[in-house]
Amino acid sequence: MKKILITAIAAIAAISATAVPASAQKSRLDRVLADGVLRVGTTGDFNPMTVRDPATQSYKGFEIDSANELAKDLGVKVQFVPTDWKTMIAGVVSDKYDIVMSGTSMNVGRAKAVGFTLPYVNVGTVPMTTKDKASRFKSWADANKKGIKVAVILGTVFEEQAKVSFPNAEIIKIEAPATGFQAVLSGRADVTITSNLDASKLVQKYTNLVTFGAGEMRAERPLAYITAQDDFKWINFLNNWVTMKKVGGFFDANATKWRLN
């Protein structure tokens, strides 16, 4: 099955590269195949999706494995390009990378400026605090009060979600590479919100962190890859790739490896 999928992907790439008149061939697909390099924008700060080792400058995670798989199927090398959440969209628009693979959520705001592939996994948002404050926060509503400080990373979907869920609280906007959970651990903030995927790893690594809200996830949403909005040829190829990898079991196996399911 895997061999058949790889052959099919290669065929799609070949057909896509020749089916359009030469004058119209300005797609990233053509450039990636011609240059032999896939430029992947990733933040490296979203465990277990993308994690950067500052000592070696190397990456690991669900999205890193997915990027390597995509490059392998294209028959090219992968080049990881560091980015952060607040400049990620600008990096796509300015052509700093061919695709963003960083655990990015689909939302209307981003879709106004960039293109999304088909989704490959769903996530939700959960609130977090420290154990010493857990008695104060049993529900989402407990954090929506004056005097409560909610930390979120600037430029992420959580910034907008916090405004909706906690209009009465003070929203503390954190500049990457600092994080919301670090602000909570240091006492700068009382609460942060993040994806259920990120939270599951954080509570294992930092024993003083806990989630609350009685298991209620908000803003359930699909994750999808980001690329240029007007490059239909490239998006079409990526959508075919995502579909075949889902059917072939790659995403399920990768999710199991990184304990997403």
Side-chain angles (χ1 to χ4, degrees):
M1 172 65 78
K2 185 175 182 180
K3 186 174 181 181
I4 293 173
L5 286 173
I6 292 174
T7 302
I9 290 169
I12 290 171
I15 292 171
S16 298
T18 58
V20 180
S23 59
Q25 289 185 16
K26 296 181 181 179
S27 170
R28 282 159 183 77
L29 176 59
D30 302 312
R31 185 174 62 199
V32 167
L33 293 174
D35 294 347
V37 177
L38 173 70
R39 301 171 302 160
V40 177
T42 195
T43 62
D45 64 353
F46 185 7
N47 190 12
M49 306 305 282
T50 169
V51 182
R52 187 180 187 182
D53 184 339
T56 63
Q57 302 301 308
S58 61
Y59 293 88
K60 65 180 180 179
F62 176 95
E63 298 292 31
I64 306 308
D65 286 353
S66 298
N68 285 320
E69 183 77 2
L70 174 58
K72 183 185 73 174
D73 288 341
L74 283 164
V76 301
K77 295 180 179 179
V78 63
Q79 176 188 347
F80 292 107
V81 182
T83 187
D84 58 50
W85 297 99
K86 69 176 181 178
T87 62
M88 181 170 57
I89 300 302
V92 174
V93 175
S94 62
D95 196 29
K96 287 186 177 180
Y97 22 78
D98 304 303
I99 186 172
V100 173
M101 303 180 80
S102 202
T104 48
S105 302
M106 299 181 79
N107 67 35
V108 174
R110 286 174 175 169
K112 293 176 182 178
V114 295
F116 283 101
T117 67
L118 294 172
Y120 52 91
V121 70
N122 292 329
V123 298
T125 298
V126 296
M128 305 188 75
T129 189
T130 49
K131 285 184 178 179
D132 59 303
K133 296 179 181 178
S135 61
R136 296 170 52 193
F137 301 107
K138 300 295 184 182
S139 68
W140 283 78
D142 291 334
N144 184 29
K145 298 177 181 177
K146 284 188 176 181
I148 302 300
K149 296 180 178 180
V150 180
V152 290
I153 302 175
L154 185 67
T156 64
V157 294
F158 305 115
E159 181 183 353
E160 295 303 316
Q161 290 172 19
K163 293 176 184 178
V164 174
S165 292
F166 312 115
N168 298 319
E170 179 184 355
I171 308 300
I172 306 295
K173 299 178 182 180
I174 306 297
E175 290 271 5
T179 64
F181 78 84
Q182 289 173 335
V184 170
L185 286 173
S186 68
R188 184 181 172 191
D190 304 297
V191 170
T192 188
I193 56 175
T194 188
S195 76
N196 59 303
L197 304 181
D198 191 31
S200 67
K201 298 298 181 181
L202 289 174
V203 296
Q204 294 176 29
K205 185 174 182 179
Y206 302 97
T207 56
N208 193 34
L209 284 175
V210 293
T211 59
F212 64 92
E216 178 190 355
M217 287 199 307
R218 290 189 177 180
E220 291 193 47
R221 59 203 178 277
L223 299 187
Y225 299 125
I226 293 177
T227 189
Q229 190 179 59
D230 58 351
D231 196 340
F232 302 112
K233 185 176 180 180
W234 180 224
I235 292 176
N236 181 62
F237 171 79
L238 292 173
N239 282 340
N240 283 317
W241 182 80
V242 169
T243 298
M244 286 187 283
K245 287 299 174 181
K246 287 177 71 174
V247 172
F250 169 77
F251 285 113
D252 285 341
N254 203 18
T256 299
K257 174 183 175 180
W258 292 101
R259 299 181 180 179
L260 306 189
N261 49 21

